[in-house]
Amino acid sequence: MTELPLPVKAAKVNARNVQVYYGQNHAIKDVNIDIPSESVTAFIGPSGCGKSTFLRCLNRMNDTIVGCRVEGRIEIDGEDIYDRRVDPVQLRAKVGMVFQKPNPFPKSIYDNVAYGPKIHGLTRTKAELDEVVEQSLHKAALWNEVKDRLAAPGTGLSGGQQQRLCIARAIATSPEVLLMDEPCSALDPIATAQVEELISELRNQYTVIIVTHSMQQAARVSQRTAMFHMGIVVEEGPTDKMFTNPDDRRTQDYITGRFG
Amino acid sequence: MSVGLLLLIVIAVAALGYGLGRRRALASVQGDLRRLHSLPGYYGQSVFILTAAPALLVMLAWLLIQPLVIENHVISTIAPGSIADGSSTSLVLSDVRRMAGGLDALVARSSLSEGDIAALDANSTDVRGRLAEVGVALASDVDPAVFETAKAYRLILRTALLIMTTVVVAVTLAGLFFSLSRIRPDYRARNVSERAVIALLIASSFVAVMTTVGIVCSLVFETWHFFRLYSPEGFFFSTVWNPQFRGGSDLGIWPLVWGTLYVSFIALLVSVPIGLLAAIYLAEYASKTVRAVVKPAIEILAGIPTIVYGLFALITVGPFLRDYFAAPLGIGSSSSSVMTAGLVMGIMLIPFVSSLSDDIINAVPQSMRDGSFGLGATQSETVKQVILPAALPGIVGAILLAASRAIGETMIVVLGAGAAAKLSLNPFEAMTTITVKIVSQLTGDTEFGSPETLVAFALGLTLFVFTLALNVVALYVVRKYREQYE
């Protein structure tokens, strides 16, 4: 538990002594973690261990929760994201997020993807916006399925398509970090396979952090894994090592299904 | 035996049946509950229902049909000569009824026996005087033939009541024995009770539907009477409203429709923006403590009786508008104006719009907000681009509901906008609405059959069609809204 994270090359995100409180409840304790860029990092751990809470600290989504307080230091590209000068709204354009349940807006597929670029003024002309929408849908591996019905409502897609639409929506603002909070928990195995494949491809361009309850998923898509338990990071390291030869007893027990 | 006593007897027998049924069910399995299909209480309930329900239904049907049959019979026995000039069958019939009631009262005071009544004769006795003793005042001396009819009517009533009592008691007992005989361990008593609950629920909703149908029918019926006396063209295509109780009035609906729409429009102009913005603040921005104070405070507005709003319009808003706006601008000198009524009505409608919109905005899933915030949208961008479009159909429904309230409002208009039917664009002039005219046409000493009175029903029907149309639109929009997400 006292073991420090392994030195990591080109860390995108550095967290030091992060504490999160929900009112009186101390939800995250002394989390230290470095997350390398252009890779997939998985957060695993039993329910209520604080992995989603920590994930939401990384784009300051916890700011929207009343009574939530974050202490410590979280840096992205060496810049403290909880600094007074940082605008959380700008930060979230840079750190995109995909949620547990697909949550497309009740708008057309096109408008769903164009939402981010529009509010941030990322494009100057309609043609540019069209281009961004198409690119994002391509990257989310959804373009071929929806190119003929961009004006149809996003809520009319299947669950897996909706989740990929949400990924496309997040990609459209050109984020550097992509946070995924159990993105496949509401999907069937086929849709899960598609999204996992997509995550593997996204690694080439983005720093992806994924919270998952599925050990297999963590093993399949991630390069590094962090094990959370009772609000602390029990162990963190390369995924191969975590799954074959973990240092911590609790990691071993959790991965082999003895608790959690 | 009176109807109330009979009712009590039926209920008492049914209650007895409950106990018997329960005991019989338990006895049938020697007290071993597990072998019963249902809990013992359900067996009791099934007996109670089968005992009371048929009997009560028979009684209800009897009481509905009996007066029709008997009165038809009585009318056929009244000689045409007994109906005086200026009177009518129904007036004679009501005299018959009152005389019969008076005779009953005399018997009750035991100043007369049944034998005395049979011997009474309107020619030799002062029937009018005797009846006056028990508070039955008759307008003129009693026609002997009519008095005989009253005596006969009374006898028929007594016989009918006796037969009904017998029939109802018989049905009650039959139900009791039938249902008791059905009790066996495998008898599905809880299903019987379930069906009875369904029947009760259906009957309740039926009452609401039938009431609506009844109201519409009475409106349509009276409106039809009106249009036999007054031409529909004059009603629908005239722009003059000028009722004369001596006859020869102009009853064009347009000044009233215009006043109604104008006042409602101003009311919505006030209430929709304020209510909607308040709802957005409450649902999206306000902290829990603020919300806990502000939301009930706004909803108190909805609890104020409209007559109090009317007083506020009459005493405060009206003179204020006249002295500071209308008079200086030279566009009106009356404290009653469309503006006054519209403003005050708008204030009244704020809680309708805000409370409903607040609920609808709250119903937009949190995941929509998360999705928008997660993309780096600010709160107001989220409200404008995600929350409001998602909630819009529901909000439109709320607005239409407020609009139908505005159209149907009366008190505020009477006190705020006056009673002068006028077609004018100036909001500082007194105008009036359909509802106000309905009240003023129906109050007072006018003959009920005249077009000046009956026009109220035509106005009411028009209003009903208006609000019905609005409600249908509102329902349609709300239903569409439900399909919006998921």
Side-chain angles (χ1 to χ4, degrees), chain A residues 40-44 196 199-200 203 210-226 237-244 254-255:
Chain A
V40 178
T41 303
F43 290 173
I44 61 170
E196 281 184 10
I199 292 169
S200 301
R203 164 162 69 101
I210 178 171
V211 166
T212 178
H213 273 133
S214 158
M215 296 304 108
Q216 291 84 349
Q217 185 169 63
R220 280 193 300 261
V221 301
S222 71
Q223 284 74 56
R224 293 184 73 81
T225 300
T239 301
D240 303 346
K241 180 174 176 296
M242 289 281 284
F243 278 85
T244 52
Y254 183 67
I255 286 169

Side-chain angles (χ1 to χ4, degrees), chain B residues 126-424:
Chain B
D126 177 19
V127 176
R128 196 177 165 195
R130 292 299 298 272
L131 288 177
E133 286 171 27
V134 287
V136 178
L138 295 171
S140 57
D141 270 337
V142 180
D143 180 332
V146 174
F147 185 65
E148 287 309 313
T149 314
K151 288 202 295 190
Y153 174 70
R154 196 172 154 265
L155 284 179
I156 296 173
L157 270 190
R158 280 161 51 96
T159 323
L161 189 62
L162 195 67
I163 299 174
M164 182 183 81
T165 307
T166 320
V167 170
V168 168
V169 169
V171 171
T172 311
L173 292 176
L176 178 68
F177 290 118
F178 171 70
S179 52
L180 277 177
S181 73
R182 293 222 298 177
I183 289 181
R184 268 183 300 276
D186 59 352
Y187 176 53
R188 299 180 182 178
R190 66 199 288 211
N191 302 20
V192 172
S193 153
E194 186 67 26
R195 253 171 284 151
V197 168
I198 294 174
L200 183 70
L201 298 180
I202 290 175
S204 305
S205 56
F206 198 65
V207 168
V209 173
M210 287 322 286
T211 314
T212 313
V213 171
I215 290 173
V216 173
C217 284
S218 81
L219 275 180
V220 169
F221 193 65
E222 299 295 344
T223 305
W224 184 65
H225 272 302
F226 168 69
F227 282 129
R228 283 205 311 190
L229 297 170
Y230 193 87
S231 75
E233 299 94 78
F235 181 68
F236 286 116
F237 299 111
S238 158
T239 56
V240 180
W241 175 270
N242 183 22
Q244 301 286 326
F245 283 115
R246 293 177 304 276
S249 15
D250 291 310
L251 300 173
I253 193 177
W254 283 108
L256 307 184
V257 170
W258 170 247
T260 305
L261 294 181
Y262 204 175
V263 172
S264 306
F265 176 73
I266 292 176
L268 291 179
L269 219 55
V270 173
S271 61
V272 170
I274 296 178
L276 194 54
L277 295 179
I280 291 173
Y281 171 71
L282 282 181
E284 296 292 320
Y285 291 88
S287 70
K288 259 195 186 134
T289 29
V290 172
R291 196 179 148 85
V293 174
V294 174
K295 198 168 154 82
I298 291 180
E299 277 164 5
I300 284 175
L301 280 179
I304 299 176
T306 56
I307 183 80
V308 176
Y309 280 108
L311 294 176
F312 178 57
L314 183 72
I315 294 167
T316 314
V317 179
F320 174 83
L321 285 178
R322 182 194 57 202
D323 297 343
Y324 292 92
F325 291 93
L329 291 170
I331 47 177
S333 56
S334 155
S335 70
S336 298
S337 67
V338 169
M339 193 52 104
T340 308
L343 278 180
V344 175
M345 203 191 284
I347 294 167
M348 178 198 83
L349 292 177
I350 287 172
F352 284 86
V353 177
S354 79
S355 186
L356 282 169
S357 305
D358 180 46
D359 291 345
I360 288 153
I361 290 172
N362 268 324
V364 174
Q366 180 62 29
S367 66
M368 295 290 132
R369 295 179 185 90
D370 284 347
S372 179
F373 292 147
L375 289 168
T378 63
Q379 204 155 11
S380 69
E381 283 166 350
T382 304
V383 167
K384 201 168 63 194
Q385 308 217 16
V386 177
I387 309 287
L388 285 186
L392 186 68
I395 291 170
V396 171
I399 293 170
L400 289 179
L401 233 50
S404 37
R405 272 293 303 234
I407 290 174
E409 176 51 41
T410 313
M411 283 337 283
I412 294 176
V413 183
V414 174
L415 295 176
K422 215 177 289 177
L423 267 173
S424 162

Side-chain angles (χ1 to χ4, degrees), chain B residues 49-72:
Chain B
I49 291 160
L50 288 175
T51 308
L56 293 181
L57 284 178
V58 166
M59 200 159 127
L60 184 68
W62 193 290
L63 288 175
L64 285 178
I65 295 166
Q66 174 184 299
L68 295 178
V69 174
I70 292 182
E71 278 171 17
N72 268 330

Side-chain angles (χ1 to χ4, degrees), chain B residues 415-451:
Chain B
L415 295 176
K422 215 177 289 177
L423 267 173
S424 162
L425 276 173
N426 182 355
F428 291 100
E429 248 185 83
M431 283 181 216
T432 197
T433 64
I434 295 178
T435 49
V436 172
K437 281 302 158 196
I438 291 178
V439 174
S440 61
Q441 291 313 103
L442 280 180
T443 43
D445 263 353
T446 45
E447 199 189 330
F448 197 76
S450 70

Side-chain angles (χ1 to χ4, degrees), chain A residues 104 109 112-113 142 154 157 161-169:
Chain A
I109 293 171
N112 262 285
V113 182
L142 193 61
L157 297 172
Q161 288 174 326
Q162 286 191 12
Q163 194 61 300
R164 279 180 283 150
L165 178 63
C166 292
I167 294 173
R169 190 174 69 181

Side-chain angles (χ1 to χ4, degrees), chain B residues 85-109:
Chain B
D85 285 344
S87 181
S88 71
T89 325
S90 63
L91 285 180
V92 174
L93 190 63
S94 91
D95 270 353
V96 167
R97 249 186 257 133
R98 291 172 61 211
M99 276 189 263
L103 291 175
D104 280 340
L106 284 175
V107 174
R109 280 181 28 174

